[in-house]
Amino acid sequence: MLSPTEENYIKSIFHLSEDGQKEVSTNTISDEMNTSAASVTDMIKKLALKKLLDYRKYKGVKITKKGKLEALRLIRKHRLWETFLVRKLNFSWDQVHDVAEQLEHINSPLLVSRLDEFLGFPTVDPHGDPIPGNDGKLPVTNRKSLAEMELCTMGTVVAVKDSSSLFLKYLDKIGAVIGSKIEVLDRVDYDGSLEIEIDKKSRVFVSRDVADNIMMV
Amino acid sequence: MLSPTEENYIKSIFHLSEDGQKEVSTNTISDEMNTSAASVTDMIKKLALKKLLDYRKYKGVKITKKGKLEALRLIRKHRLWETFLVRKLNFSWDQVHDVAEQLEHINSPLLVSRLDEFLGFPTVDPHGDPIPGNDGKLPVTNRKSLAEMELCTMGTVVAVKDSSSLFLKYLDKIGAVIGSKIEVLDRVDYDGSLEIEIDKKSRVFVSRDVADNIMMV
DNA sequence: ATATTTTTTTAGACTAATCTAAATATTATC
DNA sequence: GATAATATTTAGATTAGTCTAAAAAAATAT
């Protein structure tokens, strides 16, 4: 059994390592979690002892198979709860994150499976992110960011990388939500910003940063 | 803001004091919470500092108005979640307690009010206990225990005092659930056990302990 | 390839919640 | 009302998670 704190570390490390592929440094983790590097060193030692991380002094950590499974279990719970909040309790997509951060630590396998069933076995959450199965398997997708799209091609918004309230409210404002069709009209090479057309109606400029956080298919 | 631990103390003390009326001793609390008396002394000092308890050395504690409100807020959440688990996720009434113990510590006023709305503003939980309102108000009821009923009188089960899985499974087994009509046929003065008839069908003997934990109207 | 900067780890300390054992107060008993 | 029994508090220690400051290792720059 992991404490909520340990769970938060595992989840952050999983995300920072791009789903467990890359090594992650102590400072990268301390930045993400707003803690001191010293605290991170202590915790990664503990998680390494529990075989959730491979740790070599001064070399950062890599998440193990066991660690990945733990992370995916948490992500599954997080995304199921987000789906519940939006679909059943009428939360908007920018209101769910903080509550789901709390709910994901509730420990009850029965609750998770019943929630999954109650929601009709959803495959993606309200931000378009895939929901891992009970076995930790994630469906493979060939998504790319809006920033990577070619000029004059059209795509559909399927997910967002940043789930912060600020970003989601901005998307609501410009009318870019999941399912929106976007065409890239022009790209400014200087800063990577784009002119786009949303749903054949409105034309707006978005920054490189914004384009990086919108996932298309 | 209270920690989950502080919340558990406040809730236990509220229940032990019969909704805040009586004083509660240190040992009573440590028994209920399975902790040492020393831990209780530390914690009640802390809660007294936060004005949730009135504490006089060696004299036990009495819950304050502020403490009562906090307890009722928690009981409200607990009972709303139990209702959700039974009505929406098909939990049985003996499966909900432990999960609700976890869920009641989730902190989100919006979540509570939306859940309440989603459930159609329920007034009692699956064990028949009243759900406090947002203002902490509890509807007054004139219930009495099965043990207190007079011979040859009939009543309806409206609630249970003990929500343990063991007790609830026993009730399921003898066919006594919320809404059942029970008539007291005979009382053994020696040990207070009763012979009862449930729903005009089955006759069973129940111990004094069981009869104390079934609430009738 | 040495010096400087940056990153990481260690050392030592703090808080919350817990414990056991010892001390002290209250209650019960004779 | 003195003494024994019980209840409560204090003292001191432990664990998880955190911190700052100092030491050590690694990376970078001159």
Side-chain angles (χ1 to χ4, degrees):
Chain A
M1 269 302 303
L2 299 185
S3 71
T5 311
E6 290 171 322
E7 291 188 333
N8 286 335
Y9 271 93
I10 278 293
K11 209 171 57 120
S12 284
I13 293 167
F14 180 80
H15 282 132
L16 291 169
S17 66
E18 288 170 17
D19 299 5
Q21 293 156 34
K22 294 196 313 185
E23 298 223 319
V24 190
S25 74
T26 304
N27 270 3
T28 309
I29 301 169
S30 72
D31 277 5
E32 167 76 12
M33 306 206 61
N34 294 309
T35 56
S36 70
S39 303
V40 172
T41 302
D42 285 349
M43 181 55 90
I44 60 186
K45 277 181 185 167
K46 197 162 75 152
L47 294 175
L49 253 157
K50 295 191 175 186
K51 308 280 181 207
L52 298 162
L53 299 177
D54 284 326
Y55 168 54
R56 287 174 306 148
K57 256 192 196 176
Y58 294 102
K59 297 288 176 187
V61 292
K62 193 152 188 250
I63 200 162
T64 64
K65 190 170 264 180
K66 190 176 167 197
K68 267 183 223 174
L69 217 80
E70 197 57 53
L72 286 162
R73 226 177 43 83
L74 286 160
I75 291 165
R76 171 171 164 78
K77 286 197 275 182
H78 183 98
R79 293 182 181 167
L80 282 173
W81 279 116
E82 286 196 340
T83 306
F84 168 72
L85 294 173
V86 167
R87 300 229 292 240
K88 301 293 181 180
L89 301 194
N90 292 311
F91 277 60
S92 56
W93 70 342
D94 59 282
Q95 291 177 313
V96 294
H97 187 77
D98 294 350
V99 184
E101 282 297 289
Q102 296 182 62
L103 286 163
E104 75 191 7
H105 299 296
I106 302 289
N107 178 22
S108 166
L110 181 63
L111 177 59
V112 178
S113 68
R114 288 290 171 84
L115 189 63
D116 193 21
E117 188 185 346
F118 182 58
L119 297 170
F121 309 105
T123 57
V124 292
D125 78 6
H127 308 109
D129 292 313
I131 299 174
N134 218 347
D135 53 359
K137 283 237 168 64
L138 272 172
V140 262
T141 51
N142 56 335
R143 316 184 305 190
K144 57 186 170 188
S145 75
L146 178 58
E148 294 167 303
M149 280 182 61
E150 281 168 51
L151 268 191
C152 301
T153 61
M154 177 91 106
T156 308
V157 179
V158 292
V160 290
K161 264 197 196 158
D162 180 352
S163 292
S164 71
S165 176
L166 218 58
F167 182 59
L168 299 173
K169 276 186 178 145
Y170 167 73
L171 292 187
D172 281 336
K173 192 171 149 201
I174 65 171
V177 297
I178 292 188
S180 296
K181 308 258 183 258
I182 296 184
E183 183 177 349
V184 181
L185 303 176
D186 196 19
R187 166 173 285 116
V188 180
D189 285 330
Y190 172 64
D191 64 357
S193 65
L194 301 176
E195 187 185 7
I196 59 174
E197 188 177 68
I198 302 168
D199 288 327
K200 293 268 173 210
K201 292 193 293 264
S202 63
R203 289 179 176 202
V204 292
F205 280 93
V206 296
S207 70
R208 170 72 198 232
D209 201 35
V210 167
D212 274 333
N213 281 299
I214 300 180
M215 301 305 291
M216 312 292 296
V217 69
Chain B
M1 270 302 303
L2 299 184
S3 71
T5 310
E6 290 171 322
E7 290 188 335
N8 286 335
Y9 271 93
I10 278 292
K11 209 169 59 118
S12 285
I13 293 167
F14 180 80
H15 282 132
L16 291 169
S17 66
E18 289 171 17
D19 299 4
Q21 289 155 39
K22 294 195 315 187
E23 297 223 319
V24 190
S25 73
T26 304
N27 271 3
T28 310
I29 300 168
S30 71
D31 278 5
E32 167 76 13
M33 305 207 61
N34 296 309
T35 55
S36 69
S39 303
V40 172
T41 303
D42 284 349
M43 182 55 90
I44 61 187
K45 277 182 185 167
K46 197 162 73 150
L47 294 176
L49 253 158
K50 294 191 177 189
K51 308 281 181 205
L52 298 162
L53 300 176
D54 283 329
Y55 168 56
R56 286 173 308 146
K57 257 193 195 177
Y58 294 101
K59 297 288 176 185
V61 291
K62 194 154 186 251
I63 200 162
T64 63
K65 190 170 264 179
K66 190 176 166 196
K68 268 183 222 172
L69 216 81
E70 197 57 52
L72 287 162
R73 227 177 41 83
L74 285 160
I75 292 164
R76 171 171 163 78
K77 285 198 275 180
H78 183 99
R79 293 181 180 166
L80 282 174
W81 279 116
E82 286 196 340
T83 307
F84 168 73
L85 293 173
V86 167
R87 300 230 293 239
K88 301 295 182 179
L89 301 194
N90 293 310
F91 278 60
S92 57
W93 69 342
D94 59 280
Q95 291 176 315
V96 294
H97 187 77
D98 294 350
V99 184
E101 281 297 289
Q102 296 182 60
L103 285 163
E104 75 191 8
H105 299 295
I106 302 289
N107 177 22
S108 165
L110 181 63
L111 176 59
V112 179
S113 68
R114 289 288 171 85
L115 189 63
D116 193 21
E117 185 185 347
F118 182 58
L119 297 168
F121 308 105
T123 57
V124 293
D125 76 7
H127 309 109
D129 292 313
I131 298 174
N134 218 347
D135 53 358
K137 282 236 169 63
L138 273 171
V140 263
T141 51
N142 55 337
R143 315 183 306 190
K144 56 185 171 190
S145 76
L146 178 58
E148 294 167 305
M149 280 182 62
E150 282 168 50
L151 269 189
C152 302
T153 61
M154 176 92 103
T156 308
V157 178
V158 292
V160 290
K161 263 197 198 158
D162 181 351
S163 292
S164 72
S165 175
L166 219 59
F167 182 60
L168 298 174
K169 276 186 177 144
Y170 167 73
L171 292 187
D172 281 335
K173 191 170 150 200
I174 65 171
V177 297
I178 293 189
S180 295
K181 307 258 184 257
I182 296 183
E183 183 176 350
V184 181
L185 302 175
D186 196 16
R187 166 174 286 118
V188 180
D189 284 331
Y190 171 64
D191 64 357
S193 64
L194 300 176
E195 187 186 7
I196 59 174
E197 188 177 69
I198 302 170
D199 288 328
K200 293 268 173 212
K201 293 194 293 262
S202 63
R203 288 180 178 204
V204 293
F205 280 94
V206 295
S207 70
R208 169 73 197 230
D209 200 35
V210 166
D212 274 333
N213 281 299
I214 300 180
M215 301 306 293
M216 312 290 297
V217 71

